[in-house]
Amino acid sequence: MKVYFLFPILYYFYVSELCIANGQGGTRRLRPMYPHGQSVMDKITNTEIFSASMAIMISREDRTNDVANLTKSATTCSSPSGKWLRRQVDNVSNADLTKFFDWHIHTLPFAYKLFVVRRTDESADMEYFGLDGEFTREISSVHERSRDFWSSHSGVDDDIRILGAHGSDLADREDKLIPTLEVLFGGSYTEDYTVSDHATDIQELISRLPGGYDHPLLTFNAFATDRVDDRRDGSPSIIIGDGYFEFQRSVGLGSEGPEYALTHEHAHHLQFSLLATANTEPEEKNRGSSDQTARRQELMADAFSAYFLAHDSGGKMTAQELSNIHEIAFSVGDCETNNDDRHHGTPQERGCATRWGASIANSRNAASIDLVELKHRFDVWYERIDGFEDLENFCQHHDAVADVISSAPVNSLVAHSMKIFVIIW
């Protein structure tokens, strides 16, 4: 199962023994074991906002020192989503925050939707997005338009289910929470500490969070999954948590935030299709593992998302709406530039990728660009920005780059890229 995420690794995860106080001065130990090996957790826990992960795990370290380190690193890179997430846990005790992550509570709403719910047409009709379903119509509409656009432009026709993850699902003890815990920890429970005991502890902890089951930490994630064998129906999906919507709304970007989230994750499904094509075409097989780095994949998804949203046959967004999209992409960037596996692009890079994608959609021959050609053009752009220090200056010229590059055949883009560089600089 391939999974791509909107946000850089959001949390550190510890698979060491869990010590759970039994109320009598002793401890009962629970060693997490997963029915699918580590696969179930791996599919959910590689989330975004790695800079925020350092803050979230602040409860395990010295709070003052961690804040000082984060402040120091912010002189060169600062993640808006990381700052926001840190504020959400200011009033959560260190003890509760430790248990929150030890028990993987942040994965439970997503695990429930992916591995417990049986997919039916009726259940699909009941999906909603946002705490009160306020983003449901927008998500459904942009999903349909994005699917139709990529089908007509590139022949990509995926039957993707869109799912909402809700902390409130964990309030249903018998039908939702306990079945989900049995999927994740079924082999770990004993007579001394049962799944029912664990469910009680989790619900009591959630009741102490500000906002309870609506706390954004429970569902601050969005990701795409390819077809899998261990899903109930094995179908590909896009799943977006309520916490993501709350973040975008809190920073004043709630109007375009849902469209960015859906189209970004749909772009990952386009990458699944491109990867499947590459596996059948010898000339594409030799690009090397570097082509699949998290940073490259996330910036590509940002670019594809903005390309659709700006395209006259796609999202048809106005200049102001696209400006908001650039801000949204910027807001989810991370600062973990030394972690190749988890770094998804700095805020500047994420914003720059959407600006590049939108500029290609507005270029002279956008109508003739299919998915494969768009991917090739992205590859040229990505190689040019990789390691580029003055990215803000670079992005100011993205329209000129797009205009020159749009008139070049795909097989000559590499040769033209040096000429473009000379023209601009």
Side-chain angles (χ1 to χ4, degrees):
M1 174 184 181
K2 294 185 287 295
V3 183
Y4 290 134
F5 303 88
L6 179 63
F7 290 103
I9 285 278
L10 181 52
Y11 321 109
Y12 282 118
F13 299 102
Y14 291 79
V15 192
S16 58
E17 292 184 345
L18 305 182
C19 294
I20 305 161
N22 65 11
Q24 299 177 355
T27 60
R28 289 174 293 191
R29 295 182 180 275
L30 173 64
R31 181 184 296 277
M33 296 182 297
Y34 312 117
H36 304 284
Q38 186 66 28
S39 64
V40 173
M41 204 63 72
D42 286 345
K43 291 161 189 173
I44 302 172
T45 57
N46 288 328
T47 64
E48 281 204 33
I49 310 182
F50 190 79
S51 58
S53 74
M54 296 177 65
I56 286 300
M57 294 316 300
I58 221 168
S59 64
R60 299 173 186 266
E61 306 293 340
D62 179 83
R63 183 177 293 266
T64 302
N65 289 340
D66 276 356
V67 170
N69 291 336
L70 286 166
T71 302
K72 181 179 179 181
S73 66
T75 57
T76 56
C77 180
S78 179
S79 169
S81 50
K83 290 181 178 179
W84 180 81
L85 196 58
R86 288 195 289 276
R87 292 197 298 269
Q88 306 312 303
V89 299
D90 278 346
N91 296 320
V92 180
S93 72
N94 286 352
D96 279 349
L97 201 55
T98 297
K99 290 179 181 178
F100 185 93
F101 291 108
D102 280 342
W103 291 340
H104 303 277
I105 295 176
H106 55 286
T107 71
L108 299 183
F110 300 93
Y112 166 69
K113 281 297 181 73
L114 291 174
F115 301 104
V116 177
V117 175
R118 292 185 180 276
R119 300 270 76 81
T120 64
D121 291 338
E122 182 179 355
S123 68
D125 292 339
M126 295 174 63
E127 287 294 335
Y128 68 95
F129 300 88
L131 292 173
D132 299 310
E134 61 272 35
F135 299 111
T136 302
R137 180 175 297 181
E138 185 176 359
I139 287 290
S140 299
S141 174
V142 73
H143 175 58
E144 183 177 351
R145 287 183 287 130
S146 180
R147 182 182 58 197
D148 291 346
F149 174 85
W150 292 111
S151 176
S152 62
H153 279 69
S154 299
V156 178
D157 189 14
D158 287 324
D159 182 18
I160 302 168
R161 292 186 179 274
I162 52 174
L163 308 171
H166 315 289
S168 58
D169 283 333
L170 304 184
D172 187 335
R173 175 189 178 88
E174 299 301 326
D175 293 334
K176 297 180 180 181
L177 177 55
I178 286 180
T180 303
L181 293 175
E182 288 174 338
V183 168
L184 296 183
F185 301 105
S188 302
Y189 298 114
T190 67
E191 292 182 359
D192 291 333
Y193 193 76
T194 66
V195 65
S196 181
D197 294 331
H198 198 186
T200 297
D201 287 342
I202 286 173
Q203 290 188 323
E204 289 179 353
L205 190 157
I206 293 175
S207 72
R208 295 191 294 271
L209 297 176
Y213 291 97
D214 292 340
H215 194 283
L217 196 60
L218 290 166
T219 53
F220 190 38
N221 199 359
F223 55 89
T225 70
D226 200 2
R227 299 182 185 277
V228 294
D229 295 332
D230 49 6
R231 272 279 301 278
R232 284 290 181 118
D233 65 350
S235 61
S237 67
I238 291 171
I239 183 166
I240 308 174
D242 291 340
Y244 165 77
F245 295 121
E246 289 306 299
F247 162 64
Q248 294 296 356
R249 179 157 48 191
S250 72
V251 296
L253 298 171
S255 56
E256 284 77 37
E259 293 176 275
Y260 167 77
L262 191 285
T263 55
H264 176 100
E265 298 309 326
H266 192 183
H268 285 313
H269 281 283
L270 299 176
Q271 292 171 341
F272 297 154
S273 298
L274 287 168
L275 185 60
T277 301
N279 288 337
T280 63
E281 297 181 2
E283 66 272 18
E284 292 290 332
K285 286 184 177 181
N286 298 321
R287 291 189 60 83
S289 59
S290 62
D291 194 38
Q292 303 303 323
T293 62
R295 176 171 172 260
R296 177 188 285 269
Q297 295 303 318
E298 293 304 318
L299 295 184
M300 186 188 297
D302 283 336
F304 286 8
S305 169
Y307 177 80
F308 160 76
L309 292 172
H311 203 285
D312 286 341
S313 299
K316 303 179 182 179
M317 279 191 168
T318 66
Q320 181 56 55
E321 289 171 331
L322 289 171
S323 178
N324 290 341
I325 292 297
H326 306 328
E327 286 190 50
I328 293 166
F330 180 95
S331 74
V332 298
D334 71 277
C335 302
E336 292 304 306
T337 56
N338 294 324
N339 192 322
D340 290 339
D341 292 333
R342 296 173 174 176
H343 177 46
H344 287 200
T346 66
Q348 290 78 12
E349 290 168 343
R350 301 289 296 262
C352 192
T354 59
R355 289 163 68 178
W356 179 86
S359 69
I360 294 296
N362 291 320
S363 60
R364 291 196 301 266
N365 63 345
S368 63
I369 300 174
D370 63 10
L371 180 60
V372 173
E373 182 172 354
L374 181 62
K375 193 262 185 185
H376 277 290
R377 296 185 180 198
F378 171 83
D379 288 340
V380 173
W381 175 83
Y382 181 84
E383 294 304 325
R384 294 187 57 222
I385 71 158
D386 193 19
F388 205 88
E389 294 184 0
D390 191 8
L391 196 60
E392 281 300 315
N393 194 22
F394 178 92
C395 287
Q396 289 177 7
H397 298 274
H398 69 280
D399 287 323
V401 175
D403 193 49
V404 176
I405 218 170
S406 66
S407 62
V410 170
N411 58 8
S412 65
L413 285 177
V414 174
H416 282 299
S417 65
M418 289 304 296
K419 297 178 183 178
I420 295 169
F421 186 85
V422 172
I423 291 171
I424 294 176
W425 300 105

